[in-house]
Amino acid sequence: MARIETPKRVRGTQDIFGDEQRRFAHVLSTFERVRALYCFQRVDIPIFEATEVFSRSIGETTDVVSKEMYTFPDRGGDLLTLRPEFTAGLARAYLTEGWQQYAPLKLATSGPVFRYERPQKGRYRQFHQIDAEVIGAAEPAADVELLVLADQLLRELGIAGENGGVTLQLNTLGDAETRDAWRAALVAHFEAHRDDLSEDSLKRLDKNPLRILDSKDPKDRPAADSAPDIDAFLTPDARAFFDAVTAGLDAAGVAWTRNPRLVRGLDYYRHTAFEFVTDRLGAQGTVLAGGRYDGLIGSLGGPETPGVGWAAGVERLAMLVAEPAATTIDAVVVPMGAAAEAHCVGLTATLRRAGLAIEMSYRGKMKQRLAKADALGARAAVIVGDDELAKGAAAVKLLGAGTQSDVAFADLPEALR
Ligand code: ATP
Ligand code: MG
């Protein structure tokens, strides 16, 4: 008979298991704890949206919308897209659910996101983000709170600052007036250096000239590095906003460095732009990125609403953290013989209901079972055979010390605690 070929994991997807899963879960639980300290509300939104939610808010000229989205018509003919990020969906929800009444609204979410990219280390087609946003706040205090939250998260993961190698790079994109003036100066500069630009950047020159600044193509670097900084174009208001953000970071003890080449391409990005970067992940060095997007909700057709937020890749963070200790097992229950097995079903249920982490062993010789219990890191083995059933007490072996004593079945929850 012909062998049936086993199905393959889809390229760019992951099965997260074992050590990797422990790191992954550690990132998520740390985020869950820290976001609560900052009083960010947990929210969950759909994995897919109408395609226009993303095309209108992220922008047609971005890599994400032009080449990375998973878009398909459903059976009813509606054009849908698997979310490539959270911000657009949260902005949509803010409008459709009437969340304006709660503004300023501090939101946190996490889950899978999808981008059709060339898979490599730290880059997948289904990956996971944690995300924090403040919608409806124009004050620099919101930017500061988000950045201090990000910093505390990275500190608690043990990867912030000099020791962990992740540092905050910060820039301002100014207000609309600043940005228009800077954009015009950049276009003039790059027009004068047309011959020095890569083909991609020549295309960007028309649609998205700011993006040339953070081009990774070596051909672009001389022209990008000699381009004018935004500083000469900052209006007093834009300068004051940036000063308020940096003063807030200094007051909170968050280290940052200015990176005048850090940009976000879309027209509605304003003021703060930032990335937390490391040199430990090669080309995938940005672990957390975000900024202020005061025009996004307007571009979705809603009332002009300021917003600021960030997203981080869970896999990239998980690659940087030390492996957390495996969860401890309080005891392994080892029944020997049919009668003991039957009894231990009830005993195990009782112990678990008492809040103890219990593994049930039901295969192999006594010696092998105890070796396995030891390998699992269990503190104790609860051995039950015909003799123990007759006595009404289990033989409890402490696996570290190797000592053994009888404990009445009724006393086990207390004894194992
Ligand atoms: P990159 O320059 O690495 O493509 P990006 O600018 O596309 O990143 P954002 O859209 O800002 O990334 O997403 C926020 C974070 O999500 C990134 O900083 C990164 O940690 C993570 N991330 C982005 N794309 C991927 C991916 N394909 N696989 C895994 N993580 C990713
Ligand atoms: Mg990308």
Short mmCIF file of all heavy atoms in Angstrom, two decimals, residues 53-114:
data_model
loop_
_atom_site.label_atom_id
_atom_site.label_comp_id
_atom_site.label_asym_id
_atom_site.label_seq_id
_atom_site.Cartn_x
_atom_site.Cartn_y
_atom_site.Cartn_z
N VAL A 53 -9.72 48.11 6.89
CA VAL A 53 -9.28 48.56 8.22
C VAL A 53 -7.76 48.74 8.20
O VAL A 53 -7.23 49.73 8.72
CB VAL A 53 -9.69 47.55 9.31
CG1 VAL A 53 -9.00 47.85 10.64
CG2 VAL A 53 -11.21 47.54 9.47
N PHE A 54 -7.05 47.80 7.58
CA PHE A 54 -5.59 47.88 7.55
C PHE A 54 -5.10 48.77 6.41
O PHE A 54 -4.19 49.57 6.59
CB PHE A 54 -4.99 46.48 7.43
CG PHE A 54 -5.44 45.57 8.53
CD1 PHE A 54 -6.26 44.48 8.26
CD2 PHE A 54 -5.08 45.81 9.85
CE1 PHE A 54 -6.69 43.65 9.28
CE2 PHE A 54 -5.51 45.00 10.87
CZ PHE A 54 -6.32 43.90 10.59
N SER A 55 -5.71 48.63 5.23
CA SER A 55 -5.18 49.40 4.09
C SER A 55 -5.35 50.89 4.34
O SER A 55 -4.48 51.69 4.01
CB SER A 55 -5.82 48.96 2.78
OG SER A 55 -7.22 49.08 2.86
N ARG A 56 -6.46 51.28 4.97
CA ARG A 56 -6.67 52.70 5.21
C ARG A 56 -5.86 53.23 6.38
O ARG A 56 -5.39 54.37 6.37
CB ARG A 56 -8.15 53.00 5.44
CG ARG A 56 -8.86 53.21 4.09
CD ARG A 56 -10.34 53.06 4.20
NE ARG A 56 -10.93 54.03 5.11
CZ ARG A 56 -12.23 54.05 5.42
NH1 ARG A 56 -13.04 53.17 4.87
NH2 ARG A 56 -12.70 54.95 6.24
N SER A 57 -5.67 52.43 7.43
CA SER A 57 -4.97 53.01 8.58
C SER A 57 -3.47 52.79 8.52
O SER A 57 -2.71 53.64 8.96
CB SER A 57 -5.56 52.50 9.89
OG SER A 57 -5.47 51.11 9.95
N ILE A 58 -3.00 51.66 7.99
CA ILE A 58 -1.55 51.47 7.92
C ILE A 58 -1.00 52.19 6.69
O ILE A 58 0.11 52.71 6.70
CB ILE A 58 -1.17 49.97 7.87
CG1 ILE A 58 -1.77 49.24 9.06
CG2 ILE A 58 0.34 49.79 7.86
CD1 ILE A 58 -1.55 47.74 9.04
N GLY A 59 -1.79 52.23 5.60
CA GLY A 59 -1.37 52.98 4.41
C GLY A 59 -0.91 52.06 3.29
O GLY A 59 -0.13 51.14 3.50
N GLU A 60 -1.39 52.35 2.08
CA GLU A 60 -1.13 51.50 0.91
C GLU A 60 0.35 51.43 0.55
O GLU A 60 0.80 50.45 -0.04
CB GLU A 60 -1.89 52.06 -0.32
CG GLU A 60 -3.40 52.16 -0.15
CD GLU A 60 -4.11 50.82 -0.34
OE1 GLU A 60 -3.43 49.81 -0.64
OE2 GLU A 60 -5.34 50.80 -0.17
N THR A 61 1.12 52.48 0.89
CA THR A 61 2.51 52.51 0.43
C THR A 61 3.46 51.74 1.35
O THR A 61 4.64 51.60 1.06
CB THR A 61 3.04 53.95 0.33
OG1 THR A 61 3.04 54.52 1.64
CG2 THR A 61 2.18 54.80 -0.58
N THR A 62 2.96 51.23 2.47
CA THR A 62 3.87 50.54 3.39
C THR A 62 4.13 49.12 2.90
O THR A 62 3.34 48.54 2.16
CB THR A 62 3.24 50.44 4.79
OG1 THR A 62 1.98 49.78 4.66
CG2 THR A 62 3.02 51.81 5.39
N ASP A 63 5.27 48.55 3.34
CA ASP A 63 5.58 47.15 3.02
C ASP A 63 4.46 46.25 3.52
O ASP A 63 4.05 45.32 2.83
CB ASP A 63 6.89 46.73 3.69
CG ASP A 63 8.10 47.27 2.96
OD1 ASP A 63 7.91 47.91 1.90
OD2 ASP A 63 9.23 47.07 3.46
N VAL A 64 3.99 46.52 4.74
CA VAL A 64 2.99 45.64 5.34
C VAL A 64 1.77 45.53 4.42
O VAL A 64 1.34 44.42 4.09
CB VAL A 64 2.57 46.15 6.74
CG1 VAL A 64 1.33 45.42 7.24
CG2 VAL A 64 3.71 45.96 7.74
N VAL A 65 1.22 46.65 3.99
CA VAL A 65 -0.01 46.59 3.19
C VAL A 65 0.29 46.17 1.76
O VAL A 65 -0.43 45.39 1.15
CB VAL A 65 -0.76 47.94 3.23
CG1 VAL A 65 -1.92 47.95 2.23
CG2 VAL A 65 -1.27 48.20 4.64
N SER A 66 1.41 46.66 1.17
CA SER A 66 1.62 46.38 -0.25
C SER A 66 2.12 44.97 -0.51
O SER A 66 1.87 44.41 -1.56
CB SER A 66 2.57 47.41 -0.86
OG SER A 66 3.84 47.33 -0.26
N LYS A 67 2.85 44.36 0.46
CA LYS A 67 3.33 43.01 0.13
C LYS A 67 3.20 41.97 1.23
O LYS A 67 3.50 40.81 0.98
CB LYS A 67 4.80 43.02 -0.32
CG LYS A 67 5.56 44.30 -0.20
CD LYS A 67 6.97 44.14 -0.77
CE LYS A 67 7.95 44.92 0.07
NZ LYS A 67 9.04 45.51 -0.68
N GLU A 68 2.75 42.31 2.43
CA GLU A 68 2.85 41.32 3.51
C GLU A 68 1.52 40.79 4.03
O GLU A 68 1.50 39.90 4.87
CB GLU A 68 3.66 41.92 4.67
CG GLU A 68 5.12 42.21 4.31
CD GLU A 68 5.91 42.90 5.41
OE1 GLU A 68 5.33 43.21 6.48
OE2 GLU A 68 7.10 43.17 5.20
N MET A 69 0.39 41.31 3.56
CA MET A 69 -0.87 40.91 4.19
C MET A 69 -1.42 39.59 3.65
O MET A 69 -1.30 39.28 2.47
CB MET A 69 -1.92 42.01 4.03
CG MET A 69 -1.56 43.28 4.79
SD MET A 69 -2.95 44.29 5.27
CE MET A 69 -3.78 44.59 3.73
N TYR A 70 -2.06 38.83 4.53
CA TYR A 70 -2.82 37.65 4.15
C TYR A 70 -4.26 38.09 3.92
O TYR A 70 -5.02 38.28 4.87
CB TYR A 70 -2.78 36.61 5.27
CG TYR A 70 -1.53 35.77 5.26
CD1 TYR A 70 -0.40 36.18 5.96
CD2 TYR A 70 -1.47 34.58 4.55
CE1 TYR A 70 0.76 35.41 5.95
CE2 TYR A 70 -0.32 33.80 4.54
CZ TYR A 70 0.78 34.22 5.24
OH TYR A 70 1.92 33.46 5.23
N THR A 71 -4.62 38.27 2.66
CA THR A 71 -5.93 38.80 2.30
C THR A 71 -6.67 37.78 1.46
O THR A 71 -6.08 37.15 0.58
CB THR A 71 -5.75 40.11 1.53
OG1 THR A 71 -5.12 41.06 2.40
CG2 THR A 71 -7.07 40.68 1.05
N PHE A 72 -7.96 37.59 1.75
CA PHE A 72 -8.75 36.59 1.00
C PHE A 72 -10.22 36.95 1.05
O PHE A 72 -10.68 37.54 2.03
CB PHE A 72 -8.54 35.19 1.62
CG PHE A 72 -8.92 35.14 3.08
CD1 PHE A 72 -10.19 34.70 3.47
CD2 PHE A 72 -8.03 35.56 4.06
CE1 PHE A 72 -10.54 34.67 4.82
CE2 PHE A 72 -8.38 35.53 5.41
CZ PHE A 72 -9.63 35.09 5.79
N PRO A 73 -10.96 36.59 0.00
CA PRO A 73 -12.41 36.75 0.07
C PRO A 73 -13.00 35.59 0.85
O PRO A 73 -12.55 34.45 0.68
CB PRO A 73 -12.85 36.69 -1.41
CG PRO A 73 -11.76 35.94 -2.10
CD PRO A 73 -10.51 36.06 -1.29
N ASP A 74 -13.95 35.83 1.76
CA ASP A 74 -14.57 34.70 2.46
C ASP A 74 -15.70 34.14 1.59
O ASP A 74 -15.91 34.60 0.46
CB ASP A 74 -15.02 35.11 3.87
CG ASP A 74 -16.26 36.00 3.88
OD1 ASP A 74 -16.80 36.30 2.78
OD2 ASP A 74 -16.68 36.39 4.97
N ARG A 75 -16.42 33.15 2.10
CA ARG A 75 -17.42 32.47 1.27
C ARG A 75 -18.56 33.39 0.85
O ARG A 75 -19.27 33.12 -0.10
CB ARG A 75 -17.98 31.24 2.00
CG ARG A 75 -16.97 30.13 2.07
CD ARG A 75 -17.40 29.02 3.02
NE ARG A 75 -16.32 28.10 3.25
CZ ARG A 75 -16.01 27.09 2.44
NH1 ARG A 75 -16.73 26.87 1.36
NH2 ARG A 75 -14.99 26.30 2.71
N GLY A 76 -18.72 34.46 1.62
CA GLY A 76 -19.76 35.41 1.26
C GLY A 76 -19.25 36.51 0.32
O GLY A 76 -20.01 37.39 -0.06
N GLY A 77 -17.95 36.45 0.00
CA GLY A 77 -17.40 37.43 -0.93
C GLY A 77 -16.84 38.68 -0.27
O GLY A 77 -16.40 39.59 -0.95
N ASP A 78 -16.84 38.73 1.08
CA ASP A 78 -16.24 39.90 1.75
C ASP A 78 -14.72 39.76 1.75
O ASP A 78 -14.19 38.67 1.98
CB ASP A 78 -16.73 40.00 3.21
CG ASP A 78 -18.20 40.37 3.28
OD1 ASP A 78 -18.69 41.03 2.32
OD2 ASP A 78 -18.86 40.01 4.27
N LEU A 79 -14.03 40.88 1.51
CA LEU A 79 -12.57 40.85 1.49
C LEU A 79 -12.03 41.03 2.91
O LEU A 79 -12.26 42.08 3.54
CB LEU A 79 -12.05 41.96 0.57
CG LEU A 79 -10.60 41.77 0.09
CD1 LEU A 79 -10.44 40.44 -0.66
CD2 LEU A 79 -10.16 42.94 -0.77
N LEU A 80 -11.34 40.01 3.39
CA LEU A 80 -10.86 40.00 4.77
C LEU A 80 -9.33 39.90 4.80
O LEU A 80 -8.72 39.41 3.85
CB LEU A 80 -11.43 38.80 5.53
CG LEU A 80 -12.94 38.68 5.56
CD1 LEU A 80 -13.34 37.43 6.34
CD2 LEU A 80 -13.57 39.92 6.20
N THR A 81 -8.74 40.34 5.92
CA THR A 81 -7.29 40.24 6.09
C THR A 81 -6.98 39.76 7.51
O THR A 81 -7.59 40.23 8.48
CB THR A 81 -6.63 41.62 5.84
OG1 THR A 81 -6.81 41.96 4.46
CG2 THR A 81 -5.14 41.59 6.15
N LEU A 82 -6.06 38.79 7.61
CA LEU A 82 -5.56 38.37 8.92
C LEU A 82 -4.73 39.52 9.48
O LEU A 82 -3.85 40.02 8.78
CB LEU A 82 -4.70 37.12 8.80
CG LEU A 82 -5.35 35.88 8.17
CD1 LEU A 82 -4.36 34.71 8.20
CD2 LEU A 82 -6.63 35.50 8.91
N ARG A 83 -4.97 39.91 10.72
CA ARG A 83 -4.31 41.12 11.23
C ARG A 83 -2.79 41.03 11.13
O ARG A 83 -2.19 40.06 11.60
CB ARG A 83 -4.75 41.38 12.68
CG ARG A 83 -4.32 40.29 13.64
CD ARG A 83 -4.86 40.54 15.05
NE ARG A 83 -4.43 39.47 15.94
CZ ARG A 83 -5.06 39.09 17.03
NH1 ARG A 83 -6.17 39.71 17.42
NH2 ARG A 83 -4.59 38.12 17.77
N PRO A 84 -2.16 42.06 10.54
CA PRO A 84 -0.69 42.12 10.53
C PRO A 84 -0.16 42.90 11.73
O PRO A 84 1.06 43.00 11.92
CB PRO A 84 -0.39 42.87 9.23
CG PRO A 84 -1.57 43.75 9.02
CD PRO A 84 -2.77 43.08 9.65
N GLU A 85 -1.06 43.47 12.55
CA GLU A 85 -0.69 44.27 13.74
C GLU A 85 -1.98 44.56 14.50
O GLU A 85 -3.07 44.20 14.03
CB GLU A 85 -0.03 45.58 13.32
CG GLU A 85 -0.90 46.38 12.33
CD GLU A 85 -0.98 47.83 12.65
OE1 GLU A 85 0.06 48.49 12.61
OE2 GLU A 85 -2.09 48.33 12.96
N PHE A 86 -1.87 45.20 15.65
CA PHE A 86 -3.05 45.44 16.48
C PHE A 86 -3.64 46.84 16.37
O PHE A 86 -4.84 47.02 16.59
CB PHE A 86 -2.71 45.19 17.96
CG PHE A 86 -2.69 43.74 18.33
CD1 PHE A 86 -1.49 43.08 18.48
CD2 PHE A 86 -3.87 43.05 18.52
CE1 PHE A 86 -1.45 41.74 18.82
CE2 PHE A 86 -3.85 41.71 18.87
CZ PHE A 86 -2.63 41.05 19.01
N THR A 87 -2.80 47.83 16.11
CA THR A 87 -3.27 49.21 16.26
C THR A 87 -4.51 49.50 15.41
O THR A 87 -5.47 50.10 15.90
CB THR A 87 -2.15 50.20 15.89
OG1 THR A 87 -0.95 49.80 16.55
CG2 THR A 87 -2.51 51.61 16.31
N ALA A 88 -4.50 49.06 14.15
CA ALA A 88 -5.62 49.36 13.26
C ALA A 88 -6.93 48.75 13.78
O ALA A 88 -7.98 49.41 13.78
CB ALA A 88 -5.31 48.85 11.85
N GLY A 89 -6.86 47.51 14.23
CA GLY A 89 -8.06 46.86 14.75
C GLY A 89 -8.57 47.53 16.02
O GLY A 89 -9.78 47.65 16.24
N LEU A 90 -7.64 47.96 16.87
CA LEU A 90 -8.04 48.65 18.10
C LEU A 90 -8.69 49.99 17.77
O LEU A 90 -9.69 50.38 18.40
CB LEU A 90 -6.83 48.86 19.02
CG LEU A 90 -6.28 47.58 19.66
CD1 LEU A 90 -4.95 47.85 20.36
CD2 LEU A 90 -7.30 46.99 20.64
N ALA A 91 -8.15 50.69 16.76
CA ALA A 91 -8.75 51.97 16.36
C ALA A 91 -10.15 51.74 15.79
O ALA A 91 -11.09 52.48 16.09
CB ALA A 91 -7.85 52.65 15.32
N ARG A 92 -10.30 50.67 15.00
CA ARG A 92 -11.62 50.31 14.47
C ARG A 92 -12.59 50.03 15.62
O ARG A 92 -13.73 50.51 15.64
CB ARG A 92 -11.46 49.10 13.53
CG ARG A 92 -12.68 48.72 12.68
CD ARG A 92 -13.67 47.83 13.43
NE ARG A 92 -13.04 46.64 13.98
CZ ARG A 92 -13.43 46.03 15.09
NH1 ARG A 92 -14.46 46.49 15.79
NH2 ARG A 92 -12.79 44.97 15.56
N ALA A 93 -12.14 49.25 16.60
CA ALA A 93 -13.00 48.91 17.73
C ALA A 93 -13.37 50.17 18.54
O ALA A 93 -14.52 50.30 18.99
CB ALA A 93 -12.30 47.89 18.64
N TYR A 94 -12.42 51.04 18.69
CA TYR A 94 -12.66 52.30 19.42
C TYR A 94 -13.84 53.05 18.80
O TYR A 94 -14.70 53.59 19.51
CB TYR A 94 -11.39 53.14 19.36
CG TYR A 94 -11.42 54.44 20.13
CD1 TYR A 94 -11.17 54.45 21.50
CD2 TYR A 94 -11.66 55.65 19.48
CE1 TYR A 94 -11.16 55.64 22.21
CE2 TYR A 94 -11.66 56.84 20.19
CZ TYR A 94 -11.41 56.83 21.55
OH TYR A 94 -11.41 58.01 22.25
N LEU A 95 -13.89 53.02 17.45
CA LEU A 95 -14.99 53.71 16.76
C LEU A 95 -16.28 52.90 16.78
O LEU A 95 -17.34 53.42 17.10
CB LEU A 95 -14.58 53.99 15.30
CG LEU A 95 -13.43 54.98 15.14
CD1 LEU A 95 -12.98 55.05 13.69
CD2 LEU A 95 -13.85 56.36 15.63
N THR A 96 -16.19 51.61 16.44
CA THR A 96 -17.44 50.84 16.30
C THR A 96 -18.07 50.50 17.64
O THR A 96 -19.28 50.28 17.71
CB THR A 96 -17.21 49.54 15.49
OG1 THR A 96 -16.18 48.78 16.12
CG2 THR A 96 -16.80 49.84 14.06
N GLU A 97 -17.28 50.43 18.72
CA GLU A 97 -17.84 50.06 20.02
C GLU A 97 -18.17 51.27 20.88
O GLU A 97 -18.57 51.12 22.05
CB GLU A 97 -16.86 49.15 20.79
CG GLU A 97 -16.41 47.91 20.03
CD GLU A 97 -17.56 47.15 19.40
OE1 GLU A 97 -18.55 46.86 20.11
OE2 GLU A 97 -17.48 46.86 18.19
N GLY A 98 -17.97 52.45 20.35
CA GLY A 98 -18.29 53.64 21.14
C GLY A 98 -17.39 53.84 22.34
O GLY A 98 -17.81 54.38 23.37
N TRP A 99 -16.14 53.42 22.22
CA TRP A 99 -15.21 53.56 23.35
C TRP A 99 -14.75 55.00 23.57
O TRP A 99 -14.01 55.27 24.52
CB TRP A 99 -14.00 52.65 23.16
CG TRP A 99 -14.32 51.18 23.26
CD1 TRP A 99 -15.47 50.63 23.75
CD2 TRP A 99 -13.48 50.08 22.86
NE1 TRP A 99 -15.42 49.26 23.68
CE2 TRP A 99 -14.20 48.90 23.14
CE3 TRP A 99 -12.21 49.98 22.31
CZ2 TRP A 99 -13.69 47.63 22.87
CZ3 TRP A 99 -11.69 48.71 22.05
CH2 TRP A 99 -12.42 47.56 22.32
N GLN A 100 -15.18 55.91 22.69
CA GLN A 100 -14.83 57.32 22.87
C GLN A 100 -15.19 57.79 24.28
O GLN A 100 -14.52 58.63 24.85
CB GLN A 100 -15.55 58.22 21.86
CG GLN A 100 -15.05 58.09 20.43
CD GLN A 100 -15.99 57.26 19.57
OE1 GLN A 100 -16.52 56.25 20.02
NE2 GLN A 100 -16.19 57.69 18.33
N GLN A 101 -16.30 57.25 24.82
CA GLN A 101 -16.76 57.69 26.14
C GLN A 101 -15.74 57.42 27.24
O GLN A 101 -15.82 58.00 28.32
CB GLN A 101 -18.09 56.99 26.48
CG GLN A 101 -17.95 55.48 26.58
CD GLN A 101 -19.27 54.79 26.90
OE1 GLN A 101 -19.93 55.12 27.87
NE2 GLN A 101 -19.66 53.83 26.05
N TYR A 102 -14.79 56.48 26.99
CA TYR A 102 -13.80 56.16 28.04
C TYR A 102 -12.49 56.91 27.85
O TYR A 102 -11.54 56.68 28.60
CB TYR A 102 -13.51 54.66 28.05
CG TYR A 102 -14.73 53.79 28.16
CD1 TYR A 102 -15.06 52.91 27.14
CD2 TYR A 102 -15.55 53.85 29.28
CE1 TYR A 102 -16.18 52.09 27.23
CE2 TYR A 102 -16.66 53.04 29.38
CZ TYR A 102 -16.99 52.17 28.35
OH TYR A 102 -18.08 51.38 28.45
N ALA A 103 -12.39 57.77 26.84
CA ALA A 103 -11.11 58.42 26.52
C ALA A 103 -10.63 59.26 27.70
O ALA A 103 -11.44 59.89 28.36
CB ALA A 103 -11.26 59.30 25.28
N PRO A 104 -9.33 59.33 27.99
CA PRO A 104 -8.29 58.54 27.33
C PRO A 104 -8.32 57.08 27.78
O PRO A 104 -8.43 56.80 28.98
CB PRO A 104 -6.99 59.21 27.76
CG PRO A 104 -7.32 59.88 29.05
CD PRO A 104 -8.78 60.22 29.02
N LEU A 105 -8.20 56.19 26.81
CA LEU A 105 -8.36 54.76 27.05
C LEU A 105 -7.01 54.07 26.92
O LEU A 105 -6.36 54.15 25.88
CB LEU A 105 -9.36 54.22 26.03
CG LEU A 105 -9.78 52.76 26.16
CD1 LEU A 105 -10.38 52.46 27.53
CD2 LEU A 105 -10.79 52.40 25.05
N LYS A 106 -6.62 53.38 28.00
CA LYS A 106 -5.33 52.68 28.00
C LYS A 106 -5.59 51.20 27.79
O LYS A 106 -6.20 50.55 28.64
CB LYS A 106 -4.61 52.92 29.33
CG LYS A 106 -4.43 54.43 29.63
CD LYS A 106 -3.37 54.67 30.68
CE LYS A 106 -3.78 54.13 32.03
NZ LYS A 106 -2.77 54.43 33.07
N LEU A 107 -5.12 50.67 26.67
CA LEU A 107 -5.44 49.30 26.28
C LEU A 107 -4.19 48.45 26.14
O LEU A 107 -3.14 48.92 25.70
CB LEU A 107 -6.17 49.30 24.93
CG LEU A 107 -7.51 50.03 24.88
CD1 LEU A 107 -8.03 50.06 23.45
CD2 LEU A 107 -8.51 49.35 25.81
N ALA A 108 -4.35 47.16 26.49
CA ALA A 108 -3.26 46.20 26.29
C ALA A 108 -3.85 44.94 25.66
O ALA A 108 -4.95 44.52 26.03
CB ALA A 108 -2.60 45.85 27.62
N THR A 109 -3.12 44.36 24.71
CA THR A 109 -3.59 43.12 24.12
C THR A 109 -2.40 42.30 23.65
O THR A 109 -1.25 42.78 23.67
CB THR A 109 -4.58 43.40 22.96
OG1 THR A 109 -5.21 42.17 22.58
CG2 THR A 109 -3.89 44.02 21.76
N SER A 110 -2.66 41.06 23.25
CA SER A 110 -1.58 40.21 22.73
C SER A 110 -2.21 39.09 21.93
O SER A 110 -3.38 38.78 22.10
CB SER A 110 -0.74 39.64 23.87
OG SER A 110 -1.53 38.78 24.67
N GLY A 111 -1.41 38.48 21.07
CA GLY A 111 -1.90 37.35 20.29
C GLY A 111 -1.16 37.23 18.97
O GLY A 111 -0.22 37.98 18.70
N PRO A 112 -1.62 36.28 18.13
CA PRO A 112 -0.95 36.07 16.85
C PRO A 112 -1.22 37.16 15.84
O PRO A 112 -2.32 37.71 15.80
CB PRO A 112 -1.52 34.73 16.37
CG PRO A 112 -2.80 34.55 17.08
CD PRO A 112 -2.68 35.29 18.39
N VAL A 113 -0.23 37.49 15.04
CA VAL A 113 -0.37 38.40 13.90
C VAL A 113 0.33 37.75 12.70
O VAL A 113 1.16 36.86 12.87
CB VAL A 113 0.19 39.81 14.19
CG1 VAL A 113 -0.60 40.51 15.26
CG2 VAL A 113 1.65 39.76 14.59
N PHE A 114 -0.03 38.19 11.51
CA PHE A 114 0.34 37.46 10.29
C PHE A 114 0.95 38.40 9.25
O PHE A 114 0.37 39.44 8.93
CB PHE A 114 -0.91 36.80 9.69
CG PHE A 114 -1.64 35.92 10.67
CD1 PHE A 114 -2.55 36.48 11.57
CD2 PHE A 114 -1.39 34.56 10.73
CE1 PHE A 114 -3.21 35.68 12.50
CE2 PHE A 114 -2.04 33.76 11.65
CZ PHE A 114 -2.95 34.32 12.54
#
